[in-house]
């Protein structure tokens, strides 16, 4: 048979099987898996293209020099001497206010002071008022003027022409800022933006000891000159200085999107896993129903090779059609992800490329042939005697090897889709462990059920005795059905009950009276009057000193970011620590190792010691007894670690990574910080505080957490949207497992009826068997969901979640009820079929 005839015949077979409903499960599983993966793939591809295309605008320059202290003038001078354009910015949080008296309004803003020429890439856009069309800005704000964004204008009820108090200056609002090309996302960037000229900054008096200021130099010019300058200065960077280019720039945006994409990718991979299970079950059922037609074709002269080519051709066409439909659904679905997540990027997303399309087609074909080819090998080996005897014999020796090939294909697919070894290994390992553990539990439970059946004798009735005996008689098939159902149930429970428990625990982690205001930048001479003002309003929070210090050495060895592979450790080494001093153990802190400060430590004659937060110690590989050196105000302060602390960060109190006795840091430049819970009826306290101390920064933590929660909600909604595909795949697995179970019982029920068994007896036996399968599947799935939920709570969210002890019991009954009901619906028609008709049709 030539290729054309082969494809024509395969197409006719596909159309016939499609009309008969033979391939619906296979096609549905493939479509769902491809749609989930391509929906995520199309969106992430658009984000990748946007970051690459707009990378220079996301920096506002070709090269960005970032530091937590002022850049030496030599860096800018050298860049200008090489023909590069240079502008400077300083960014920091500060409270700003409009008007005074009873009508005073205050708001935490992210202030950016820029020099002329900003930005070097991209452009600012401003509007003459709120909710009116904007236009490209001509330069930067003039002296005495500021531009504020829409959120700040709304918060302060400010209009163009109003005057805003910024520190010790009164500046006029000249425009509404609508677009800033290098705006990122970090802890303070959720606050509204205020843009001003760098020339007005000294008069505000906002930059004082303890101020968190980001100093940036933006450079642009010929690409070769920029690369040469970057290579030359990389070796001269000091502590706290780093370079950002289009490849590593805007890490906060990339981090937020990477996390969102990782969650979405995990959801899509879970869908692929369930789809693989559904494909394997559906292909197995398909093969069982086509044994007799293959035997007939063998009698008519078809060779084994011809049969294999025919079915492979049919499956190839099916795979391409299902993959194409899945890609179309995925393309439409990715617009929902775009609606939720694209706002994290301040740049339009370009159309997606063809890679997700190719990936979707490859996923469909790999899933189909990885798990459908092993059963097809049985069709190839079917004997012509089956026409007469209706038997296939035992599975071929290469069948398990074929399924192993399918698993390897699935594992490779997961690594490819995940895009990173760690994530792929995590999913493959978790899937493999779940299948193995579920299989062992299912096999052990079946044996125990068989033993219980024998011990119970006739007490359980003929229905239960026959149902449990049927489980043991088809042990391998029963294990496959139980594992498949357990995987589907586990996905459903993770989407519903366990996820709800995690969210509830997260909400309960923060006490209702937790501090919702932080006040920073309190200068030493302001400590007493600030404490008095708060006390007059019925508040008595603790004020803690902060001394800025940079970690320089551990046990006498100099440390740098290059000494650590962990990203968090590198960031900690690069930045300055907020050190503090106190004599007593703070509330919400407990010792996890070592000791707290003794009387000798508190005296000036004692050794300089420190207590370190346990998480920081693990990150930097510190332990009790280590000596740590900090650079404070140009001097080296060495301390011995005498204890490690466990800190309850959820209390929202002021906490520090490193604490020392007062004698260690006394005399070094310090600013002070405090936190307190401000009831809604006392919000005017903030205005009074800022009116008397305009340099203070009051951080409304509740507002910031609401902003961050809004971002997380966007990601959560997108993940839940992709989980809809996972949900669909789970239901397909359930249906495939139940349909396969009912089909396997078709011939057996006919034999039993021919031998005199009554329909009522068979009905009870079927219900008992389905109930046992459902109960065991639900129980196993609930245990898996609990284990995964506990792992996520501890490793991903760092809080404790109470175990739902009612979940296994509820899952047991719900699983039994669902499988019994669905199984009976699938099998009831078998009892209505005449035994002679079924026996004549054979056992397939």
């Amino acid at each position: 048979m030539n290729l054309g005839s082969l494809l024509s015949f395969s197409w006719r077979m596909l159309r016939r099987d499609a009309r008969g409903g033979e391939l619906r499960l296979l096609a549905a599983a493939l479509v769902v898996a491809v749609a989930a993966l391509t929906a995520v793939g199309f969106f992430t591809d658009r984000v990748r293209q946007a970051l690459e295309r707009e990378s220079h605008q996301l920096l506002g320059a070709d090269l960005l020099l970032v530091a937590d202290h002022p850049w030496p003038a030599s860096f800018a001078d050298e860049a200008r001497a090489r023909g590069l354009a240079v502008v400077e910015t300083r960014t920091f949080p500060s409270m700003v206010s409009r008007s005074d008296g009873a009508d005073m309004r205050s708001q935490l803003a992210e202030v950016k002071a820029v020099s002329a020429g900003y930005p070097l890439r991209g452009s600012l856009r401003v509007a003459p008022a709120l909710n009116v069309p904007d236009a490209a800005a001509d330069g930067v704000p003039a002296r005495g003027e500021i531009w504020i964004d829409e959120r700040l204008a709304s918060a302060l009820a400010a209009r163009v022409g109003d005057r805003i108090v910024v520190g010790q200056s009164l500046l006029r609002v000249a425009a509404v800022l609508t677009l800033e090309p290098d705006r990122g996302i970090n802890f303070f960037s959720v606050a509204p933006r205020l843009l001003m000229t760098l020339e007005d900054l000294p008069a505000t008096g906002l930059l004082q000891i303890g101020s968190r200021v980001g100093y940036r130099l933006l450079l642009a010019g010929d690409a070769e000159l920029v690369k040469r300058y970057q290579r030359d200065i990389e070796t001269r960077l000091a502590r706290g200085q780093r370079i950002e280019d289009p490849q590593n720039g805007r890490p906060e945006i990339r981090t937020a999107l990477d996390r969102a994409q990782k969650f979405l990718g995990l959801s899509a991979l879970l869908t692929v896993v369930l789809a693989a299970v559904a494909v394997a079950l559906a292909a197995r059922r398909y093969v069982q129903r086509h044994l007799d037609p293959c035997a007939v074709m063998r009698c008519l002269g078809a060779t084994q090779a011809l049969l294999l080519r025919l079915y492979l051709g049919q499956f190839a066409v099916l795979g391409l059609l299902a993959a194409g439909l899945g890609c179309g659904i995925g393309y439409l679905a990715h617009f929902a992800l775009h609606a939720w997540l694209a706002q994290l990027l301040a740049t339009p997303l370009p159309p997606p490329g063809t890679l997700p399309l190719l990936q979707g087609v490859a996923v469909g074909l790999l899933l189909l042939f990885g798990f459908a080819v092993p059963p097809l090998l049985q069709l190839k080996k079917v004997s012509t005697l089956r026409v007469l005897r209706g038997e296939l014999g035992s599975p071929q020796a290469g069948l398990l090897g074929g399924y192993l090939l399918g698993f390897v294909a699935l594992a490779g697919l997961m690594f490819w889709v995940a895009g990173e070894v760690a994530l792929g290994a995590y999913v493959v390992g978790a899937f493999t462990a779940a299948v193995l553990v579920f299989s062992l539990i299912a096999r052990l439970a079946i044996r125990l059920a068989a033993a219980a059946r024998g011990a119970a004798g006739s007490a359980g009735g003929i229905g239960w005795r026959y149902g449990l005996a049927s489980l043991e008689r088809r042990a391998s098939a029963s294990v496959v059905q139980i594992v498949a159902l357990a995987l589907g149930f586990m996905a459903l429970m993770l989407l519903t009950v366990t996820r709800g428990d995690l969210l509830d625990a997260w909400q309960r982690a923060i006490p209702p009276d937790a501090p919702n205001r932080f006040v920073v930048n309190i200068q030493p001479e302001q400590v007493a009057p600030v404490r008095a003002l708060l006390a007059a309003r019925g508040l008595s929070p603790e004020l803690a000193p902060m001394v800025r210090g940079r970690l320089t050495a551990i046990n006498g060895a100099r440390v740098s970011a290059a000494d650590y592979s962990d990203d968090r450790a590198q960031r900690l080494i690069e930045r300055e620590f907020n050190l503090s001093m106190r004599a007593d153990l703070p509330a919400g802190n407990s010792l996890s190792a070592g000791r707290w400060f003794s009387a000798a430590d508190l005296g000036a004659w004692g050794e300089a010691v420190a207590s370190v937060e346990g998480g920081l110690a693990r990150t930097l590989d510190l332990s009790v007894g280590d000596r740590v050196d900090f650079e404070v105000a140009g001097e080296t302060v060495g301390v011995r670690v005498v204890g490690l602390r466990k800190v309850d960060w959820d209390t929202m109190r002021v906490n520090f990574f490193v604490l020392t006795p007062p004698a260690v840091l006394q005399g070094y430049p310090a600013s002070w910080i405090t936190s307190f819970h401000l009831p809604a009826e006392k919000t005017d306290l903030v205005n009074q505080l800022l009116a008397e101390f305009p340099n203070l920064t009051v951080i409304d933590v509740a507002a910031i957490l609401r902003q961050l929660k809004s971002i997380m909600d966007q990601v959560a909604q997108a993940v839940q949207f992709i989980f809809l595909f996972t949900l669909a795949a789970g239901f397909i697995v359930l249906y495939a497992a139940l349909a396969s179970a009912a089909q396997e019982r078709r011939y057996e029920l006919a034999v039993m009826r021919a031998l005199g068994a009554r329909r009522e007896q068979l009905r009870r036996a079927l219900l008992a068997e389905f109930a046992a399968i459902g109960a065991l599947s639900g129980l196993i799935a609930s245990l898996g969901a609990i284990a995964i939920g506990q792992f996520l709570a501890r490793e991903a969210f760092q809080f404790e979640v109470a175990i739902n002890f009612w979940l296994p019991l509820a899952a047991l009954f719900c699983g039994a009820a669902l499988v019994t009901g669905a199984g009976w619906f699938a099998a009831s028609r078998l009892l209505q079929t005449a035994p002679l008709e079924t026996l004549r049709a054979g056992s397939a």
Side-chain angles (χ1 to χ4, degrees):
M1 183 179 292
N2 58 39
L3 180 60
S5 300
L6 181 68
L7 291 178
S8 176
F9 192 70
S10 296
W11 173 249
R12 290 199 300 272
M13 290 174 57
L14 177 63
R15 292 177 60 187
R16 182 200 62 194
D17 290 342
R19 286 194 299 268
E22 302 284 345
L23 297 173
R24 289 174 185 171
L25 282 177
L26 272 173
L30 291 174
V31 168
V32 168
V34 173
L37 279 175
T38 52
V40 176
F42 281 125
F43 176 74
T44 55
D45 184 66
R46 295 181 69 179
V47 170
R48 177 188 57 80
Q49 290 187 67
L51 290 175
E52 292 176 356
R53 190 186 70 178
E54 305 285 337
S55 57
H56 293 273
Q57 292 192 30
L58 290 173
L59 291 178
D62 295 334
L63 194 67
L64 185 62
L65 308 186
V66 183
D68 56 9
H69 57 275
W71 283 94
S74 59
F75 282 83
D77 293 341
E78 181 179 347
R80 292 189 182 96
R82 296 188 180 205
L84 301 179
V86 181
V87 298
E88 181 182 357
T89 71
R90 297 185 185 181
T91 308
F92 56 92
S94 178
M95 297 299 296
V96 298
S97 60
R98 182 189 66 82
S99 187
D100 53 14
D103 192 36
M104 179 179 179
R105 294 198 179 191
S106 301
Q107 173 66 40
L108 175 68
E110 188 179 19
V111 178
K112 176 184 278 190
V114 301
S115 62
Y118 168 85
L120 295 175
R121 292 288 183 261
S123 63
L124 295 166
R125 296 186 67 86
V126 294
L130 279 175
N131 303 317
V132 299
D134 62 355
D138 182 15
V140 299
R143 291 287 300 268
E145 296 181 347
I146 56 174
W147 297 345
I148 60 177
D149 68 5
E150 295 98 326
R151 287 188 298 159
L152 186 56
S154 299
L156 298 178
R159 295 175 297 181
V160 172
D162 290 348
R163 296 192 176 273
I164 305 297
V165 177
V166 183
Q168 301 174 5
S169 298
L170 192 63
L171 304 174
R172 188 180 73 88
V173 178
V176 176
L177 180 65
T178 59
L179 177 63
E180 185 183 355
D182 61 334
R183 180 71 181 269
I185 298 174
N186 54 44
F187 183 75
F188 287 109
S189 71
V190 296
R193 173 74 88 197
L194 184 151
L195 193 69
M196 62 185 295
T197 177
L198 198 60
E199 298 175 355
D200 282 335
L201 185 57
T204 64
L206 291 175
L207 301 190
Q208 302 192 25
I209 295 175
S211 299
R212 286 194 173 274
V213 185
Y215 298 84
R216 288 175 170 82
L217 290 179
L218 288 74
L219 297 87
D222 180 77
E224 187 58 37
L225 293 177
V226 171
K227 289 181 181 179
R228 191 177 306 158
Y229 177 79
Q230 180 177 356
R231 288 194 302 266
D232 292 344
I233 67 169
E234 280 177 339
T235 58
R236 292 154 42 194
L237 295 180
R239 299 295 296 271
Q241 298 175 340
R242 70 178 188 275
I243 298 176
E244 290 184 6
D245 56 25
Q247 281 66 50
N248 62 19
R250 294 270 62 91
E252 60 275 7
I253 291 179
R254 291 176 182 269
T255 299
L257 289 170
D258 284 347
R259 288 176 178 172
Q261 292 169 12
K262 183 173 291 187
F263 279 120
L264 295 173
L266 284 172
S267 306
L269 287 176
L270 179 57
T271 306
V272 172
V273 169
L274 293 177
V277 175
V279 168
L281 291 174
R284 181 167 173 263
R285 178 170 178 257
Y286 175 85
V287 168
Q288 289 174 338
R289 294 168 68 94
H290 282 73
L291 293 175
D292 286 342
C294 285
V296 172
M297 292 175 68
R298 289 291 311 278
C299 290
L300 296 176
T303 64
Q304 293 182 354
L306 177 60
L307 284 177
L308 185 60
R309 288 198 299 271
L310 284 174
Y311 281 101
L312 286 178
Q314 179 184 4
F315 274 31
V317 176
L318 173 66
L320 291 174
L321 292 176
L325 180 58
C327 288
I329 295 175
Y331 179 76
L332 296 177
H334 99 277
F335 286 107
L337 302 180
H338 178 274
W340 281 311
L341 299 178
Q343 53 190 295
L344 295 179
L345 279 172
T347 182
L349 298 182
T354 58
L355 179 60
L357 187 65
L358 298 176
Q359 201 173 43
V361 173
V363 165
L365 294 179
L366 277 175
L367 275 180
L368 182 61
F369 285 98
F371 289 92
V373 167
L376 283 180
L377 297 178
Q378 289 184 283
L379 292 181
K380 166 187 166 184
K381 298 289 186 179
V382 68
S383 172
T384 54
L385 293 177
R386 183 178 180 86
V387 175
L388 299 175
R389 301 178 56 185
E391 61 185 23
L392 172 65
S394 60
Q396 301 298 317
L399 186 60
L400 294 179
Y403 276 121
L404 179 61
L405 178 63
F407 176 78
V408 172
L410 178 63
L413 176 65
M414 289 181 179
F415 279 106
W416 181 38
V417 172
E420 57 178 278
V421 175
L423 181 60
Y426 175 78
V427 176
V428 172
F431 171 64
T432 305
V435 170
L436 292 177
V437 172
F438 287 2
S439 300
L440 290 175
I441 295 177
R443 190 67 186 92
L444 178 62
I446 290 174
R447 288 189 176 181
L448 292 177
R453 175 182 62 85
S458 61
I462 187 173
W464 278 104
R465 287 189 288 112
Y466 180 79
L468 296 180
S470 180
L471 283 179
E472 174 65 20
R473 186 167 55 252
R474 290 187 300 271
S476 298
S478 299
V479 168
V480 170
Q481 293 160 8
I482 291 171
V483 171
L485 289 168
L487 289 173
F489 283 144
M490 186 175 70
L492 299 180
M493 279 183 274
L494 284 174
L495 289 173
T496 54
V497 179
T498 305
R499 182 177 59 85
D501 290 342
L502 290 174
L503 293 176
D504 291 342
W506 188 14
Q507 294 172 350
R508 292 193 305 268
I510 301 178
D513 59 345
N516 56 8
R517 299 294 192 280
F518 280 75
V519 183
V520 298
N521 291 340
I522 305 173
Q523 299 306 303
E525 65 275 8
Q526 296 174 328
V527 172
V530 168
R531 182 180 284 119
L533 176 59
L534 296 176
R537 300 298 299 271
L539 300 175
S540 56
E542 181 182 14
L543 276 73
M546 292 194 308
V547 177
R548 303 290 294 275
R550 189 181 299 279
L551 180 62
T552 58
I554 299 177
N555 294 323
R558 301 284 296 183
V559 295
S560 66
D563 298 329
Y564 297 89
S565 58
D566 180 70
D567 290 340
R568 180 170 182 264
Q570 293 175 352
R571 291 193 300 269
L572 289 169
I573 294 296
E574 287 291 343
R575 71 172 180 84
E576 289 184 319
F577 284 80
N578 284 325
L579 315 176
S580 190
M581 43 190 167
R582 61 182 302 139
D584 57 328
L585 185 66
N589 287 232
S590 60
L591 287 176
S592 57
R595 61 177 177 84
W596 185 246
F597 306 141
S598 64
D601 299 326
L602 299 176
W605 61 86
E607 181 187 21
V609 297
S611 174
V612 179
E613 190 266 337
L616 176 71
R618 288 191 297 272
T619 301
L620 298 181
D621 196 21
L622 297 175
S623 57
V624 174
D626 287 346
R627 180 175 177 82
V628 182
D629 292 342
F630 291 94
E631 182 183 322
V632 180
E635 299 182 11
T636 299
V637 177
V639 294
R640 180 79 60 187
V641 178
V642 295
L644 303 180
R645 290 172 290 115
K646 180 181 179 181
V647 178
D648 184 4
W649 298 102
D650 291 329
T651 62
M652 301 299 290
R653 295 189 180 97
V654 175
N655 283 300
F656 296 91
F657 286 125
V658 180
L659 292 173
T660 73
V664 176
L665 298 176
Q666 202 74 42
Y668 288 97
S671 63
W672 295 67
I673 182 174
T674 187
S675 67
F676 50 85
H677 180 78
L678 187 65
E681 63 272 13
K682 294 184 178 181
T683 53
D684 62 313
L685 172 62
V686 174
N687 296 331
Q688 183 181 357
L689 194 63
L690 293 173
E692 296 192 25
F693 310 100
N695 66 289
L696 301 186
T697 298
V698 180
I699 304 173
D700 184 351
V701 180
I704 291 178
L705 289 178
R706 284 195 298 269
Q707 293 284 348
L708 294 177
K709 185 178 183 299
S710 175
I711 294 174
M712 288 185 289
D713 285 345
Q714 295 170 24
V715 176
Q717 289 172 356
V719 172
Q720 289 172 350
F721 177 73
I722 294 301
F723 267 144
L724 293 177
F725 292 102
T726 311
L727 201 63
F731 280 120
I732 293 174
V733 168
L734 298 182
Y735 182 81
L738 294 174
S740 176
Q743 185 64 27
E744 289 177 354
R745 290 154 179 78
R746 181 175 65 90
Y747 189 77
E748 183 178 337
L749 290 174
V751 173
M752 297 288 291
R753 289 187 61 193
L755 294 177
R758 298 189 302 274
R759 289 182 179 178
E760 180 63 22
Q761 292 176 323
L762 295 179
R763 184 182 67 83
R764 292 178 181 177
L766 279 177
L767 291 179
E769 184 177 357
F770 286 142
I773 290 176
L776 184 56
S777 300
L779 180 62
I780 294 174
S782 66
L783 297 178
I786 289 174
I788 293 176
Q790 291 290 317
F791 175 81
L792 290 176
R794 295 180 181 179
E795 299 300 325
F797 299 100
Q798 286 79 48
F799 53 70
E800 298 293 330
V801 174
I803 296 178
N804 263 327
F805 290 103
W806 60 265
L807 184 59
L809 184 62
L812 186 146
F813 285 107
C814 290
L818 178 62
V819 174
T820 300
W824 174 248
F825 176 78
S828 59
R829 291 175 297 175
L830 301 181
L831 295 178
Q832 304 300 325
T833 305
L836 183 59
E837 179 182 341
T838 301
L839 294 175
R840 284 176 174 174
S843 61

